[in-house]
Amino acid sequence: MLLARLVATSQALAATRSRKAKISHLASLLAEMQQDEVAVGVGFLAGEVRQGRIGVGYATVFDVEAPPAAEPSLSVLDVDHAIDAISTLSGAGSVTARRGALAALLAAATEPEQEFLRRLLLQELRQGALEGIMVDALAAAAEVPADEVRRAAMVSGDLGAVAETALTRGAAGLAGFRLTLLAPLLPMLAQTASDVAAAMEAICPAILEAKLDGARVQAHKDGDRVELYSRNLRPVTGSLPDIVGLVASIPATTMILDGEAIALRPDGRPQPFQVTMSRYGTSAEVEQQADRRPLTVFFFDCLHLDGDDLIDLPAEERHRRMAAVVPAAHLPERRVVQDPAAAVAFYEEVLAAGHEGIMVKDPAAPYAAGRRGAAWLKVKPAHTLDLVVLAVEWGSGRRQGWLSNIHLGARDPATGGFVMLGKTFKGMTDAMLAWQTKRFLELETHRDGHVVHVRPEQVVEVAFDGILASSRYPGGLALRFARVKGYRDDKGPDEADTIDTVRHLAKP
């Protein structure tokens, strides 16, 4: 398949807000692909290359100039092979060699293809080919139920492999995908409820658990081997020996647990989130760090136990099996309630203990990895959103020389882009100002006067007092008294809160 065909589809996706139209465009394209093109093509449409980061940054990608080709000639596999070659270059002279190889690739591309390739290599290709839409398109192209595609993608974590299997082997091939020990899968996510009453109205009876302001951890055990993964599936085993030791001691041969690691004070109240995150990614003096800043882990779900995949079982049954092997001290406090008054009492009890809120879960729901469904709801007393920084302004006065005022964006699932909701410089310490100046200069794309525009990659947790109607911003909404709670390096921009969530919160 020519790259031009894929680029045309990408442009069509970006140009429409219709989910039905997006699915139709994708399904038509997928049906035309050869077997060896599917995994690569699906990756490109999702804005990813199979090689990951290949050692070329923003400056290289946009500094390398090449006159565009007059006619399309590149195939999807030509591009994949070229990226493969660039990714293998290392050592002395590799920077020059990468630039030369990139120039050769761009010279073979037409102008629309050049733009597509630059954004693809920088992982900035936001065209609306989100995983849910891609799953439905695959189902349509392969003529298999969407639920079967979705489940295979969920347990494998490899949409390209699932696509190839669906299109070549159909439903029978998809049935072969199972959870794999020591291969992380995307965590199940929660929607936001405005208050306890709203959550109980949506789910009743409900499992209530304390919502801990910690860091997600997925624990895999296979015999004597234990591996830990962060929320974004990054290996963190080497940084968390205290949690590794606990998991190793649990009397199970094979196991996958989902939980939250948190730094606690001696009285059991939580430390600030940054204390917990300082342990993630630690590579020096790991044992000493564990002694000085120990983490406590609380496991709230079990996905696999001693040869059995549990993700399709009801939540209450998964918990029962987990509680049979995991020590009670490492299970979060929970209740199963039907009375909203009892839910409010538990909520107030959890807040009094210093935690950030509660989780309200459907006892009958399966584990939907990678999905933010209505089976899990989170309730917190203060309004907070995880947003993406779109630009930053140079400070003045005492903040002269630092990047200060950040522009905040909510994710727009319909377009794959972001919608600006306002700015804030509140809640920033001097240490944070110094950090964010360095961080955002690394993400800089261009400048407009005193405004530094950045790649939309950094997630920030923002507290606010309300949402106002505003004609100043394209979404028609602005945050009232926004202030920074902290930067969330454990989250990617695809996990930021959506403009739909903001609109829901803005309703009277």
Side-chain angles (χ1 to χ4, degrees), residues 20 79 139 182-183 189 216 220 240 246-247 341 393 417 430 485:
K20 185 177 180 180
V79 174
L182 311 180
L189 304 173
R216 200 78 173 257
H220 290 234
L240 307 174
L246 170 70
V247 174
E393 298 175 9
D430 287 355
K485 284 195 67 179

Side-chain angles (χ1 to χ4, degrees), residues 244-478:
V244 170
L246 170 70
V247 174
S249 71
I250 294 175
T253 302
T254 60
M255 180 173 60
I256 302 176
L257 297 173
D258 190 3
E260 195 91 356
I262 187 170
L264 299 175
R265 297 188 174 105
D267 63 0
R269 296 178 69 83
Q271 297 271 22
F273 174 74
Q274 285 75 13
V275 177
T276 297
M277 287 308 298
S278 68
R279 286 286 311 282
Y280 273 62
T282 300
S283 57
E285 300 182 330
V286 171
E287 296 291 345
Q288 295 90 325
Q289 294 273 10
D291 289 339
R292 288 196 297 266
R293 290 175 290 182
L295 294 181
T296 302
V297 65
F298 294 94
F299 292 113
F300 50 75
D301 221 318
C302 184
L303 316 186
H304 174 96
L305 185 63
D306 283 335
D308 294 330
D309 290 345
L310 308 184
I311 58 174
D312 294 322
L313 295 180
E316 193 66 6
E317 175 63 15
R318 298 198 306 274
H319 183 271
R320 185 188 68 77
R321 296 204 189 184
M322 176 175 64
V325 294
V326 175
H330 294 281
L331 300 173
E333 192 168 356
R334 74 196 299 268
R335 303 275 194 280
V336 179
V337 303
Q338 297 188 56
D339 180 8
V344 171
F346 179 70
Y347 178 59
E348 293 174 348
E349 179 185 325
V350 167
L351 294 180
H355 299 299
E356 67 172 358
I358 61 171
M359 298 295 299
V360 180
K361 300 180 177 180
D362 183 346
Y367 189 94
R371 300 188 67 190
R372 193 182 296 277
W376 286 10
L377 301 175
K378 55 186 176 182
V379 184
K380 299 189 287 185
H383 293 303
T384 65
L385 289 167
D386 291 327
L387 301 174
V388 174
V389 178
L390 307 178
V392 204
E393 298 175 9
W394 288 107
S396 59
R398 195 182 68 81
R399 296 191 177 190
Q400 184 75 35
W402 279 337
L403 287 174
S404 175
N405 206 10
I406 58 175
H407 297 200
L408 304 167
R411 182 166 55 86
D412 186 352
T415 66
F418 297 90
V419 179
M420 187 173 176
L421 297 173
K423 312 174 186 179
T424 188
F425 55 84
K426 299 181 182 297
M428 299 173 181
T429 64
D430 287 355
M432 187 180 292
L433 287 166
W435 177 87
Q436 71 183 35
T437 299
K438 181 177 183 295
R439 169 66 170 159
F440 293 131
L441 287 177
E442 292 172 348
L443 297 179
E444 178 181 354
T445 60
H446 64 283
R447 299 189 186 191
D448 183 9
H450 68 294
V451 179
V452 177
H453 295 266
V454 299
R455 299 197 301 275
E457 296 180 5
Q458 181 64 54
V459 176
V460 60
E461 185 178 12
V462 175
F464 58 99
D465 290 351
I467 301 172
L468 305 173
S470 172
S471 60
R472 183 175 182 181
Y473 299 112
L477 300 170

